């Protein structure tokens, strides 16, 4: 009887799982699964509570290894990326010839052939120039390579960010004045017109002084200025050496650099007057000359003293009969009450002698030549008489106006013959 009743009991048990009980069974199974996942999450979660010290130590160790490894990998990856980027930037620095022969025919008209890929900065009343690093250069430094003194195309330039200067580059600290001139630094007038823009820039920027000069002529390196120009710049800025890149061909990069390549260019008259006034005062101070000027203004009869200096020279453009010329000026001076004539040979005078003579001069008379640049040391409203060698005027071109311009820019009167 019991054996026969078992199937019936089983059948009754199966049929007892009606829908309500089935829902409860599924719910219990779901809760069990959720609790299992929560337990697993608590094991791996950095915010979970671990019931034993052993499990806590294990979690700390596991998490520490995991986080350190990931952070270390990130740092290594970042360093490798930065190093690769810096290396690529260094390799991408492109050097171009300082002298661009494409513009050789228009170097004085439209384009400069020195660093021809770059455009100048223009300011009202200021000479056009370049400054590095600047917003215009996108924060990049100026770098140069080569020290050729005969071919500017063999010297080159480039721009580079401070973090990626070219390999083996030498960074020259401080401020560098870089000049390129179509003329030269030995001639007084040529040299002055090349240096005046730097003086103007310094005046505008609180009289900043350079740590060095770098000089080019048609892109060819020059390692010195003429004696007169060297003394004048020393009077203005103190002793500043001319960089000759003696450590090799470079590359050399400049922490700060001002580049002038158009001489006075677009510098306004007001700025030029300011520049020449300052250089006049600096030169007088450098040579120990009383800035008050001339000692005696009237003669014993109370007549104003007029000091006439006749600048003579040797070589080309000199007078064939210097004695006859001196006699003419002496006779004319004698006809004017208070006129005092002084005849000087400009080649025989030191820089400070030239400053002293011109400081005591009201009227200077001279053949056309660079020595007339010494008018810089005369006071404002002085007079200049310039005469030209026979036949030279017809061939002079714009050169005949050089000292007209300088007299005007210095606040003086000019007469030519």
């Amino acid at each position: 009887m019991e054996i026969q009743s078992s199937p019936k009991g089983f059948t009754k048990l199966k049929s007892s799982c009606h829908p309500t009980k089935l829902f409860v069974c599924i719910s219990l199974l779901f809760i069990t699964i959720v609790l299992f996942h929560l337990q697993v999450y608590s094991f791996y979660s950095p915010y979970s509570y671990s019931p034993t010290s052993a499990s806590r130590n294990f979690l700390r160790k596991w998490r520490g290894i995991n986080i350190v490894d990931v952070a270390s990998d990130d740092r290594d990856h970042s360093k490798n990326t930065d190093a690769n980027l810096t290396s690529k930037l260094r390799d991408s620095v492109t050097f171009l010839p300082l002298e661009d022969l494409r513009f050789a025919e228009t170097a004085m008209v439209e384009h400069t052939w020195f660093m021809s890929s770059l455009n100048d900065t223009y300011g009202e009343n200021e000479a056009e120039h370049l400054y590095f690093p600047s917003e215009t250069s996108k924060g990049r430094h100026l770098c140069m390579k080569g020290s050729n003194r005969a071919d500017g195309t063999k010297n080159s330039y480039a721009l580079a960010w401070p973090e990626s200067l070219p390999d083996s580059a030498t960074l020259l600290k401080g401020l560098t004045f870089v000049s390129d001139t179509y003329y030269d630094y030995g001639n007084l007038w040529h040299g002055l017109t090349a240096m005046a823009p730097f003086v103007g820039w310094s005046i505008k920027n609180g009289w900043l002084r350079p740590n060095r000069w770098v000089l080019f002529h048609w892109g060819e390196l020059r390692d010195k200025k003429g004696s007169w120009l060297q003394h004048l710049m020393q009077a203005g800025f103190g002793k500043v050496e001319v960089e000759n890149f003696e450590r090799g061909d470079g590359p050399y990069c400049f922490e700060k650099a001002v580049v002038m390549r158009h001489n006075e260019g677009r510098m306004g008259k007001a700025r030029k007057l300011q520049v020449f006034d300052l250089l006049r005062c600096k030169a007088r101070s450098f040579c120990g000359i009383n800035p008050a000027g001339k000692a005696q203004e009237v003669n014993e009869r109370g007549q104003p003293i007029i000091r006439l200096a006749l600048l003579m020279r040797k070589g080309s453009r000199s007078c064939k009969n210097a004695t006859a010329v001196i006699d003419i000026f002496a006779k004319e001076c004698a006809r004017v009450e208070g006129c005092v004539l002084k005849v000087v040979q400009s080649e025989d005078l030191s820089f400070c002698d030239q400053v002293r003579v011109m400081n005591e001069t009201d009227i200077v008379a001279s053949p056309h030549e660079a020595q007339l640049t010494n008018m810089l040391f005369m006071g404002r409203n002085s007079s200049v008489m310039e005469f030209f060698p026979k036949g030279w005027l017809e061939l002079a071109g714009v050169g005949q106006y050089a000292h007209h311009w300088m007299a005007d820019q210095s606040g003086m009167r000019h007469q030519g013959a």
Side-chain angles (χ1 to χ4, degrees):
M1 293 294 293
E2 290 179 347
I3 295 174
Q4 292 177 350
S5 63
S6 293
K8 293 179 181 180
F10 178 73
T11 303
K12 187 176 181 180
L13 181 63
K14 280 181 67 177
S15 63
S16 67
C17 289
H18 51 79
T20 302
K21 293 182 178 181
L22 179 63
F23 173 78
V24 172
C25 293
I26 294 173
S27 298
L28 289 173
L29 179 62
F30 175 78
I31 292 170
T32 302
I33 293 172
V34 169
L35 290 174
F36 175 79
H37 279 282
L38 287 175
Q39 184 177 7
V40 173
Y41 174 77
S42 68
F43 179 82
Y44 288 104
S45 171
Y47 304 103
S48 64
Y49 170 77
S50 183
T52 66
S53 60
S55 60
R56 280 198 298 270
N57 292 336
F58 174 79
L59 285 174
R60 287 196 194 100
K61 183 177 180 181
W62 184 86
R63 290 174 197 144
I65 293 172
N66 184 48
I67 293 170
V68 169
D69 287 347
V70 171
S72 178
D73 289 344
D74 287 344
R75 283 197 297 269
D76 291 343
H77 177 71
S78 178
K79 288 180 180 178
N80 290 335
T81 301
D82 291 344
N84 290 336
L85 180 59
T86 300
S87 178
K88 288 179 180 179
L89 287 173
R90 283 199 178 102
D91 293 339
S92 68
V93 174
T94 303
F95 281 86
L96 303 172
L98 273 178
E99 182 182 340
D100 192 337
L101 294 179
R102 294 176 300 168
F103 305 110
E105 299 301 322
T106 57
M108 297 292 288
V109 184
E110 300 174 356
H111 235 291
T112 176
W113 60 2
F114 182 83
M115 295 172 56
S116 61
S117 67
L118 304 174
N119 295 322
D120 288 294
T121 297
Y122 294 89
E124 186 178 356
N125 204 36
E126 306 298 330
E128 53 265 59
H129 66 280
L130 299 167
Y131 182 79
F132 304 94
S134 63
E135 185 176 338
T136 304
S137 74
K138 299 180 180 179
R140 292 174 293 176
H141 294 275
L142 174 65
C143 300
M144 289 185 171
K145 186 165 58 174
S147 55
N148 196 289
R149 289 163 170 77
D151 186 352
T153 63
K154 294 182 179 178
N155 299 323
S156 55
Y157 71 100
L159 301 182
W161 279 282
E163 303 85 1
S164 56
L165 299 180
D167 289 328
S168 71
T170 300
L171 180 63
L172 299 178
K173 295 287 188 177
L175 177 63
T176 302
F177 281 171
V178 180
S179 170
D180 181 74
T181 178
Y182 193 79
Y183 302 116
D184 63 75
Y185 304 100
N187 179 284
L188 277 61
W189 187 82
H190 293 173
L192 179 61
T193 58
M195 297 293 103
F198 291 103
V199 180
W201 184 89
S202 291
I203 290 174
K204 182 182 178 182
N205 292 278
W207 196 239
L208 291 177
R209 304 185 183 190
N211 295 84
R212 68 191 59 79
W213 293 92
V214 176
L215 306 177
F216 291 97
H217 169 63
W218 295 358
E220 303 161 5
L221 186 67
R222 297 291 181 263
D223 58 4
K224 63 180 180 180
K225 308 184 189 85
S227 175
W228 184 91
L229 187 62
Q230 175 64 31
H231 281 94
L232 181 62
M233 290 298 101
Q234 186 174 345
F237 293 110
K239 191 172 183 180
V240 180
E241 297 297 329
V242 177
E243 179 63 54
N244 58 11
F245 298 145
E246 62 183 4
R247 293 178 291 275
D249 283 346
Y252 297 88
C253 299
F254 308 107
E255 183 179 26
K256 298 176 183 177
V258 178
V259 180
M260 301 285 182
R261 48 188 183 168
H262 301 286
N263 289 8
E264 292 174 346
R266 300 191 181 189
M267 186 187 296
K269 182 177 178 179
R271 180 66 78 197
K272 291 176 183 177
L273 285 168
Q274 197 176 17
V275 166
F276 290 140
D277 282 347
L278 184 141
L279 287 176
R280 181 183 304 117
C281 292
K282 292 282 187 179
R284 289 171 177 172
S285 176
F286 178 76
C287 295
I289 297 171
N290 185 349
K294 314 166 189 66
Q296 187 180 3
E297 297 296 334
V298 297
N299 60 17
E300 61 277 5
R301 292 188 295 278
Q303 296 292 330
I305 293 178
I306 303 169
R307 296 171 174 84
L308 169 62
L310 179 58
L311 294 185
M312 306 299 287
R313 58 165 289 127
K314 302 172 184 176
S316 63
R317 302 180 194 170
S318 62
C319 299
K320 288 185 177 180
N321 191 338
T323 302
V325 173
I326 293 171
D327 287 344
I328 292 171
F329 275 90
K331 289 176 182 179
E332 293 301 316
C333 185
R335 293 172 59 185
V336 179
E337 182 69 30
C339 180
V340 178
L341 175 65
K342 179 181 287 188
V343 180
V344 294
Q345 198 76 35
S346 56
E347 296 94 334
D348 297 336
L349 301 178
S350 68
F351 173 78
C352 283
D353 287 339
Q354 293 175 74
V355 177
R356 190 169 290 105
V357 167
M358 302 308 287
N359 179 61
E360 298 175 353
T361 295
D362 301 301
I363 303 171
V364 62
S366 171
H368 171 88
E369 192 45 89
Q371 77 269 4
L372 259 177
T373 310
N374 281 298
M375 74 172 81
L376 170 69
F377 308 124
M378 298 167 64
R380 282 202 187 188
N381 299 316
S382 300
S383 297
V384 178
M385 177 183 289
E386 179 182 12
F387 46 98
F388 299 93
K390 184 178 180 180
W392 182 86
L393 189 59
E394 291 76 12
L395 303 174
V398 295
Q400 64 183 289
Y401 302 112
H403 298 300
H404 281 265
W405 298 332
M406 184 170 178
D408 180 61
Q409 296 157 9
S410 303
M412 302 174 188
R413 295 182 291 270
H414 180 281
Q415 292 290 326

